Amino acid sequence: MIKSFRKNIKGIVIEGITLVSALLIIAIVIIMLTVIIIGGKDQLSWEFLTSFPTDGMTKGGIFPAIYGTALLVIIMSIAAVPFGTITAIYLTEYAKENSVIAKTIRFAVRTLAVIPSIIYGLFGLGFFIKFVGAHIDGAFFGGELKWGQPNLLWASLTMSLLTLPVVIVSVEEALKTVPQELRAASLALGATKWQTIRKVVIPGSISGIMTGTILAVSRGAGEVAPILFTGAAYYLATLPGLGDQFMVLGYHIYVLTTQSANVDQTLPIQFGTTCVLLLLTFILNMSAVILRYRIRKKKTN
Amino acid sequence: MIVDKINTEDMFLYYSSKMALNNISIKIPEKKVTAFIGPSGCGKSTFLRSLNRMNDLIDGVKIEGKVIIDNINIYDKNIDVVTLRKKVGMVFQKSNPFAKSIYENVAYGPKINGIKDKSQLDEIVEMALKNAAIWDEVKDRLGDSALGLSGGQQQRLCIARTLAVNPEIVLMDEPASALDPLSTAKIEELIVQLKENYTIVIVTHNMQQAARISDNTAFFYLGELIEYDRTKKIFTNPDKKQTEDYITGRFG
Ligand SMILES: Nc1ncnc2c1ncn2[C@@H]1O[C@H](COP(=O)(O)OP(=O)(O)O)[C@@H](O)[C@H]1O
Ligand SMILES: [Mg+2]
């Protein structure tokens, strides 16, 4: 009797602790969002989104940072999505499940996924800038410094390496949702393997491939470390091209909060920029979730 | 004169090291319906798949012996599997239409063969759907998704899709096993019609079905071809005791 009473208490306490930790998570999210939204909501305006910073970045908008972020994720996707998709196609459609090569590729992908993002930044600096860029300059520009320095292209390619595992894994998952019987049906009609992939497998998994792309983009949009050494700029008065450094939302927040001449004065802009970045990643993730939900629904039908 | 369309000689098939087909020699006549019967796991599907080399897709399959179709051993090194499969079509046990429109399902094979002309495609699609006895049911909704059709319609659509490639042989692996009696009857009727133009090889575990629609019947047991003869003979007066036991329902 007494024992069971104790047991009962113990049960209640354990349940209580787990509940409190779970609630704590909700609280953290709510507090974070409230603070950011309250702090930033007055800042958000068409003006803020479309104009350049002014007065030593204590006033004005964040247009170049939005522009830079957009270009970064677009170029990154152009590099990472086809490369990742092709790799995923190799893994699911061509490689034998337990072959050494498939296992090695999967191991490499998992390893890429856990490498800290700052390491990617260092790798980008060493490989793209000091090696590839410097050799391009040596070969085509008589050693004049052109491509051997941080710029949008190298930063985007560095970022594409970081997002590659995300693309590969989600495209692989998407390809696997296409039933084996459909591949068999196509092959039995005299289609080649490539025709089957192109006309049955990829169309059947296109929304999954898009989900992977969006997830990769949203990961890339928020990361700062990989572009620190490879292209992110403190401030630019003009919009960047491929060979220029560029402003980007995540780094802009860092700059405003730590490097500004007057940090307190930039507070509203900090909040505003954070809001924009958060909104951007939120929208991207939401669309990925919606797409995924629609695929699941289609599959269960 | 009866022409042998398919002729296997001393054929063995192994899944890794496990033997699944043991010394199969059979002559399958042109423009007839040949049925494979036998208890499940005896190798009917395996044998059927080896007639259009769909077993190539399974890791670790090893084949010995010859499968001769129109005087050519389809396991010769220089055989193009893609061409072979256009000539030897296959209908699967579970209907497997693509997640495309009814029209696109049937046009899939011709398009892969490079036919682009819209009116030519229309003609092929209509012919195939008519030959598969489903035209009247779908002619007003060719643009609708094939996945909206009933199970029996989907299977006839898959038959139409196979016919659209203009094969000479159609392999069918229990094509009606998942269907209701009415759809089954339609498919059976269709198969009998099809033998006018095609060589049909059908796996079935339904012995009445084999008796109703086939000209010849092969009885498989544990990977071996036990007996092969006119369907009438197999079902009325089989030579082998095992065959008799199976068709009288004593095992299987
Ligand atoms: N993909 C496969 N891998 C390994 N063994 C298989 C495979 N497919 C079939 N088998 C084996 O081969 C034998 C014949 O199978 P199957 O041809 O499917 O028989 P049936 O169609 O007559 O039921 C069975 O013992 C089965 O377990
Ligand atoms: Mg079978």
Side-chain angles (χ1 to χ4, degrees):
Chain A
M1 183 68 193
I2 289 176
K3 207 175 170 192
S4 79
F5 176 71
R6 269 207 191 139
K7 252 190 187 164
N8 215 359
I9 289 281
K10 201 171 151 194
I12 291 172
V13 170
I14 291 175
E15 186 178 339
I17 292 174
T18 55
L19 179 66
V20 168
S21 350
L23 288 177
L24 209 58
I25 300 289
I26 300 179
I28 292 170
V29 172
I30 289 177
I31 292 169
M32 226 188 222
L33 287 182
T34 316
V35 169
I36 294 171
I37 290 169
I38 288 179
K41 71 177 194 312
D42 295 334
Q43 193 65 48
L44 292 183
S45 66
W46 187 242
E47 178 77 25
F48 181 67
L49 298 177
T50 56
S51 57
F52 272 71
T54 54
D55 301 76
M57 292 207 287
T58 58
K59 291 207 174 63
I62 53 168
F63 180 66
I66 295 176
Y67 184 86
T69 306
L71 276 188
L72 174 78
V73 296
I74 289 170
I75 300 167
M76 170 200 93
S77 309
I78 290 173
V81 173
F83 188 27
T85 304
I86 291 167
T87 309
I89 286 175
Y90 175 76
L91 284 173
T92 44
E93 307 295 324
Y94 288 96
K96 299 217 160 103
E97 188 58 31
N98 286 316
S99 64
V100 177
I101 176 102
K103 278 184 179 165
T104 313
I105 295 171
R106 288 214 165 80
F107 175 76
V109 172
R110 276 200 301 275
T111 309
L112 270 183
V114 298
I115 290 175
S117 50
I118 191 77
I119 311 273
Y120 280 96
L122 289 171
F123 175 78
L125 175 66
F127 180 70
F128 290 122
I129 297 172
K130 300 288 178 204
F131 180 72
V132 181
H135 277 82
I136 291 175
D137 287 345
F140 299 106
F141 300 101
E144 191 192 338
L145 200 58
K146 267 197 149 66
W147 294 97
Q149 54 188 343
N151 66 25
L152 182 57
L153 179 65
W154 301 141
S156 304
L157 292 183
T158 307
M159 197 65 101
S160 75
L161 293 183
L162 177 93
T163 52
L164 202 53
V166 185
V167 178
I168 294 173
V169 171
S170 33
V171 173
E172 237 195 304
E173 258 164 39
L175 297 176
K176 279 186 190 149
T177 63
V178 177
Q180 210 53 46
E181 294 93 68
L182 294 188
R183 293 181 178 82
S186 172
L187 294 169
L189 289 167
T192 61
K193 187 151 195 165
W194 176 236
Q195 285 171 326
T196 301
I197 292 171
R198 207 157 44 91
K199 301 196 174 220
V200 174
V201 179
I202 291 181
S205 53
I206 191 70
S207 29
I209 294 173
M210 276 161 61
T211 310
T213 311
I214 296 171
L215 286 176
V217 167
S218 78
R219 168 112 204 254
E223 279 284 352
V224 175
I227 54 173
L228 271 183
F229 322 118
T230 52
Y234 177 82
Y235 172 74
L236 287 167
T238 55
L239 294 178
L242 269 189
D244 301 316
Q245 292 197 25
F246 59 102
M247 293 176 71
V248 69
L249 288 169
Y251 185 61
H252 193 57
I253 295 172
Y254 171 77
V255 167
L256 291 173
T257 49
T258 60
Q259 316 286 303
S260 171
N262 191 335
V263 171
D264 289 340
Q265 218 181 333
T266 66
L267 212 56
I269 304 180
Q270 290 172 32
F271 271 115
T273 314
T274 311
C275 255
V276 172
L277 180 56
L278 208 63
L279 222 60
L280 181 72
T281 45
F282 182 74
I283 291 171
L284 286 170
N285 276 301
M286 267 322 278
S287 30
V289 168
I290 291 170
L291 261 177
R292 206 168 253 186
Y293 171 77
R294 280 180 36 192
I295 304 165
R296 293 237 171 94
K297 225 173 83 180
K298 218 171 76 189
K299 253 178 77 190
T300 51
N301 276 354
Chain B
M1 193 190 92
I2 295 171
V3 179
D4 291 328
K5 189 73 175 168
I6 305 169
N7 184 2
T8 75
E9 291 172 7
D10 309 323
M11 209 205 110
F12 294 79
L13 185 145
Y14 304 83
Y15 288 113
S16 302
S17 55
K18 187 174 152 275
M19 187 193 282
L21 294 176
N22 184 358
N23 199 4
I24 311 287
S25 298
I26 190 171
K27 289 176 163 52
I28 295 174
E30 188 174 35
K31 295 190 181 166
K32 297 266 187 269
V33 177
T34 302
F36 294 170
I37 61 169
S40 95
C42 68
K44 306 181 296 294
S45 297
T46 301
F47 185 56
L48 196 72
R49 280 197 303 267
S50 60
L51 302 181
N52 68 341
R53 292 191 53 174
M54 286 300 278
N55 282 324
D56 289 16
L57 308 182
I58 302 169
D59 280 352
V61 168
K62 209 176 89 214
I63 290 173
E64 290 165 6
K66 286 181 184 167
V67 176
I68 295 161
I69 296 179
D70 289 339
N71 299 317
I72 295 167
N73 180 9
I74 62 167
Y75 285 93
D76 267 353
K77 277 207 178 62
N78 56 2
I79 290 294
D80 177 26
V81 191
V82 168
T83 320
L84 168 72
R85 290 188 188 138
K86 282 172 186 156
K87 178 168 164 167
V88 189
M90 184 167 221
V91 175
F92 297 80
Q93 182 167 4
K94 209 174 128 233
S95 64
N96 51 2
F98 302 125
K100 301 175 190 284
S101 69
I102 294 168
Y103 182 95
E104 286 301 327
N105 263 276
V106 184
Y108 184 86
K111 278 188 174 174
I112 273 178
N113 282 326
I115 297 175
K116 291 199 183 75
D117 182 55
K118 174 83 171 108
S119 60
Q120 200 184 348
L121 281 173
D122 288 352
E123 208 173 295
I124 294 172
V125 168
E126 182 173 340
M127 271 308 283
L129 288 168
K130 279 181 175 160
N131 284 339
I134 190 181
W135 171 250
D136 288 335
E137 289 157 69
V138 300
K139 63 171 186 268
D140 297 323
R141 47 171 175 151
L142 293 176
D144 292 2
S145 169
L147 304 180
L149 296 173
S150 75
Q153 289 172 326
Q154 287 193 6
Q155 192 61 299
R156 276 178 289 145
L157 177 69
C158 290
I159 294 174
R161 183 175 65 182
T162 303
L163 298 182
V165 184
N166 202 16
E168 294 170 26
I169 300 167
V170 179
L171 310 173
M172 299 186 174
D173 193 350
E174 306 196 25
S177 68
L179 303 180
D180 58 273
L182 206 69
S183 305
T184 303
K186 279 190 181 156
I187 301 253
E188 287 184 9
E189 199 181 319
L190 170 59
I191 290 168
V192 174
Q193 281 168 21
L194 288 175
K195 76 172 176 182
E196 210 171 293
N197 298 307
Y198 305 91
T199 303
I200 310 276
V201 185
I202 179 171
V203 170
T204 177
H205 62 213
N206 177 337
M207 277 175 288
Q208 287 79 23
Q209 186 171 69
R212 275 194 300 266
I213 64 174
S214 70
D215 301 290
N216 296 317
T217 296
F219 170 62
F220 287 81
Y221 185 59
L222 295 177
E224 288 183 53
L225 175 58
I226 304 295
E227 188 167 353
Y228 175 52
D229 212 320
R230 311 268 317 167
T231 297
K232 213 176 189 169
K233 170 109 169 51
I234 294 279
F235 282 95
T236 53
N237 184 23
D239 288 338
K240 300 269 167 59
K241 173 118 184 14
Q242 280 161 306
T243 316
E244 187 177 348
D245 286 350
Y246 182 71
I247 59 164
T248 53
R250 241 166 280 167
F251 77 92

